[in-house]
Amino acid sequence: MSDNVSTVMEIYAAFGRGDVAWILDQLADDVSWDEHLRDTGLPYLAPGRGKDHVLGFFGHLAANFQIDRFEPGPICDGGDAVTVPLTVGGRIVDGGDVPPNREAHEWVFDAAGRVAEFRHILDLALHERAVAERSIVHEGHTFDAAGLAIEVLQAGRGFEAFRTAGAIDCGPPPHAHGWSESYYGLDGSVEMTIDGVTSTLSPGDFAMVPAGTTHSFRISSPTATFLVMSSGAGAAAFFADLDANVPSGPIDEHVLPKVIEVMQRHGVRLPAPA
């Protein structure tokens, strides 16, 4: 048995006893973690790099996914690349079940014997459907998200829809997430910045934000109302969390740390400092 196979087996043992610090010690500093996985908006299945990202992965996994079955199968030793089939099942916290199903983990090692790349191979739709069950309960509710009144028209299905209203200067800081969004202006005006390009959303105007694109908006008239449609089932739960844990009103330097904390729980990312 190669040293790399032994390391993978020890990583699974450390995962079972909750020893995240030991796992991090086995990783390269710039480890690629699910970097090429489709971004679903699920915070524990978000693509990224570095040990801080991996630390966040374990925190999000513990907060969102209750694992009740985790059974590694026969390990395929490919030298620098080790592949492990597994049977994994559990339940999304406050959501639906992820039935026991087969997935695989790919571990790629560098010359120093550190994990340089890790990738899940799994049925993402099982997790997306289970998370959607968490969002359906929000349908029909109106949330206060940092000064914006967000009425949930549809939640927990293939797409979610919201009627959003607020007063001048309300709006989020630049951010990105795993779901795409489209905006349709109803009244008032909204200054939108999408991937560095700023424009005004007026009544009858339409704007599209692809998944993973950095964007922000600010209401630029005394009041404004607009529709937002998002793919998947992640946005409603995010808005509910903002309502429950962030004080009402526009975002300022006192509120921003709490907003960031909520963002991190839902895989919503702030742009890296320039």
Side-chain angles (χ1 to χ4, degrees):
M1 182 169 58
S2 72
D3 290 342
N4 291 339
V5 169
S6 297
T7 298
V8 170
M9 294 176 63
E10 291 169 2
I11 286 174
Y12 289 136
F15 175 68
R17 64 178 183 267
D19 192 350
V20 174
W22 189 90
I23 296 174
L24 293 177
D25 285 342
Q26 314 313 308
L27 311 181
D29 290 339
D30 62 344
V31 59
S32 171
W33 196 268
D34 277 335
E35 194 169 13
H36 304 294
L37 192 70
R38 174 170 63 85
D39 193 341
T40 63
L42 302 176
Y44 61 91
L45 288 174
R49 294 187 74 92
K51 291 186 178 182
D52 286 344
H53 175 79
V54 178
L55 181 61
F57 157 79
F58 284 111
H60 292 313
L61 183 67
N64 288 277
F65 187 28
Q66 296 174 337
I67 298 174
D68 56 31
R69 188 170 177 183
F70 187 89
E71 299 174 359
I75 294 177
C76 177
D77 182 2
D80 292 339
V82 176
T83 303
V84 186
L86 303 94
T87 299
V88 179
R91 181 173 179 81
I92 297 297
V93 175
D94 297 326
D97 291 326
V98 177
N101 65 102
R102 297 301 295 270
E103 62 179 66
H105 295 169
E106 287 187 350
W107 304 87
V108 178
F109 288 81
D110 61 19
R114 302 289 183 183
V115 176
E117 181 179 349
F118 169 80
R119 184 161 71 101
H120 283 96
I121 303 171
L122 76 169
D123 186 347
L124 292 170
L126 292 175
H127 292 257
E128 291 172 309
R129 285 195 293 268
V131 170
E133 292 187 31
R134 180 167 64 185
S135 296
I136 289 174
V137 299
H138 301 311
E139 198 166 280
H141 290 251
T142 298
F143 297 116
D144 183 321
L148 295 168
I150 300 179
E151 180 187 359
V152 184
L153 304 177
Q154 175 168 302
R157 296 177 175 84
F159 73 94
E160 298 184 321
F162 311 91
R163 183 190 301 271
T164 304
I168 191 167
D169 289 333
C170 283
H175 64 285
H177 39 61
W179 56 85
S180 61
E181 290 179 333
S182 57
Y183 293 73
Y184 180 79
L186 295 176
D187 64 67
S189 59
V190 182
E191 181 182 272
M192 300 199 65
T193 301
I194 302 171
D195 199 19
V197 177
T198 299
S199 61
T200 298
L201 184 80
S202 299
D205 289 343
F206 176 86
M208 177 69 187
V209 179
T213 302
T214 299
H215 62 288
S216 63
F217 66 79
R218 182 187 68 86
I219 293 176
S220 52
S221 56
T223 61
T225 305
F226 50 97
L227 297 177
V228 181
M229 285 72 71
S230 65
S231 64
F238 171 54
F239 296 141
D241 200 348
L242 285 172
D243 179 88
N245 293 291
V246 175
S248 178
I251 298 172
D252 57 25
E253 67 273 14
H254 303 294
V255 173
L256 184 58
K258 196 66 178 178
V259 174
I260 293 173
E261 181 182 319
V262 174
M263 285 180 165
Q264 291 174 336
R265 282 201 291 271
H266 295 268
V268 181
R269 303 178 295 279
L270 295 173

